[in-house]
Amino acid sequence: MSDAKPSPYVAKVNAAGHRVWQERAPLLGTLDLELTERCNNNCIHCCINLPQEDLGARQRELGTAEIQEILTEAAALGALSVRFTGGEPLLREDFIDLYLYARRLGLKVLLFTNARLITPELANLLCRIPPLEKIEITVYGLTPQSYETVSRVPGSYQGFWGGVSLLRERGIPFVVKGALLPPNRLEIDAFETWAATLPAMDRPPSYSMFFDLRSRRDSESKNRRIERLRLTPEDGVTMSRRSSFYLREMREFCGKFMGPPGDRLFTCGAGHGACVDAYGMVQPCLPLRHPDMVYNLHEGSLMEALTKFFPRLREETRAANPDYLARCARCFLKGLCEQCPAKSWSEHGTLDTPVEYLCRVAHAQARDLGLLRDGERGWEVEEWKERIKGI
């Protein structure tokens, strides 16, 4: 690990001078920490989960002291928040220890959970020592039948509802989001009506719809099932339009992030932050698990990953696939399209093979926004700047 200094809470907020970082921006703003890939659900669409009882995965997971060391370095490098995710992060028996350690460092904690393992003890702790970020809970259904058809675990709906009830009783802020799947699609209106009653929900819930394939590339059969669960691009656009924020936000987004990317594969924020998997590998983003794209923390530090490994990746990783160069590199829809090295890896085992499904989604969105006419392709349009101005 590096010997970068500041924190506890950036030397008490720079001795009360109220400038957390003086002279330079921090190397790290936030840390994503995947505490485990194991989960107490077995969701039909999941791109990462392993069985709760997977002993091999559990034995390979980082230990308490190792995670604390990572948190300490992250805080020293400037991080003010950490996202604990999984799998189901609450499966870790040391979760409370890790949570308290992060909070003592001055880190805000964002927890992604299915809420099933929220106990009265944990809820009391979160009330007494708040995470300072809203907890995020994914909801798989509003009835036992719909929820457990997705989770494939009997009794999981009751556990989810119990966790949510504990948070509500103690006034702990949380938001909910959905995974839009065949068992729960008829519950959308009821879900949004219920979500609107939650004090921390200041906008309608977001949804996963265009599901990722397995990021470990560990099961063809699971990938084929996930593909069957994806919405059609047109249905995805219809779903997105339910939000009153959609058009305004899409116009603002298109004004900032559209344009042909050329042969550079990393044109997003990947590699500007740090995502650490359950076994100590730092990744540019959590879904990107290509062996050439990860950095082993057991042999180095977050500092080295952020200052040497990731900058080299971002600069040197270029597309060579002829199809990518003919289409994606020239396509002005890059801001709408989720095509990226992580998606190409999970779909094809490469970094630069176009993902046809994502291409269709981006083109459906572009037609809906008036950026493309029927039959046009994004890489064929030369006057794209004028079209963006016109939406």
Side-chain angles (χ1 to χ4, degrees), residues 36-40 50-52 54 57-58 61 87-88 91:
T36 181
E37 291 184 349
R38 296 175 295 119
C39 190
N40 54 344
L50 295 175
Q52 175 178 341
D54 190 319
R58 184 172 182 172
E61 288 169 6
E88 172 49 56
L91 277 176

Side-chain angles (χ1 to χ4, degrees), residues 345-387:
W345 165 250
S346 63
E347 299 264 344
H348 300 295
T350 68
L351 296 173
D352 61 354
T353 305
V355 179
E356 294 300 330
Y357 175 69
L358 299 178
C359 183
R360 288 168 40 223
V361 170
H363 279 74
Q365 291 175 317
R367 287 192 295 272
D368 179 64
L369 293 168
L371 291 170
L372 288 179
R373 305 180 188 97
D374 287 346
E376 279 188 320
R377 298 291 190 173
W379 53 88
E380 299 170 341
V381 177
E382 295 182 1
E383 75 287 3
W384 57 270
K385 291 182 180 179
E386 287 71 25
R387 297 199 186 185

Side-chain angles (χ1 to χ4, degrees), residues 135-273:
I135 295 169
E136 296 197 15
I137 299 171
T138 303
V139 180
Y140 301 113
L142 289 185
T143 66
Q145 181 177 0
S146 60
Y147 190 102
E148 293 173 11
T149 301
V150 175
S151 72
R152 297 187 291 187
V153 176
S156 55
Y157 174 78
Q158 184 177 359
F160 146 73
W161 201 252
V164 165
S165 298
L166 287 169
L167 296 178
R168 294 197 75 172
E169 288 165 8
R170 287 156 179 78
I172 299 166
F174 69 94
V175 298
V176 293
K177 51 195 178 184
L180 196 58
L181 292 155
N184 61 36
R185 281 181 193 163
L186 297 180
E187 299 175 352
I188 295 172
D189 290 336
F191 175 51
E192 293 183 356
T193 298
W194 170 70
T197 70
L198 303 176
M201 292 290 291
D202 54 9
R203 59 182 298 156
S206 62
Y207 295 90
S208 300
M209 300 179 286
F210 308 125
F211 301 109
D212 292 345
L213 301 188
R214 300 284 294 183
S215 60
R216 294 286 183 198
R217 297 185 54 78
D218 56 1
S219 174
E220 268 302 304
S221 62
K222 290 180 180 179
N223 279 345
R224 299 294 77 78
R225 181 178 64 238
I226 293 169
E227 286 179 333
R228 292 192 295 270
L229 294 170
R230 288 168 164 172
L231 286 189
T232 66
E234 292 72 25
D235 285 346
V237 169
T238 300
M239 185 66 197
S240 297
R241 272 190 167 272
R242 289 175 60 90
S243 170
S244 59
F245 297 91
Y246 174 71
L247 282 179
R248 175 173 55 82
E249 291 181 348
M250 290 303 291
R251 288 185 182 111
E252 292 175 0
F253 185 85
C254 289
K256 296 177 182 177
F257 299 108
M258 301 291 267
D263 66 350
R264 293 188 64 170
L265 289 177
F266 288 106
T267 57
C268 59
H272 288 304

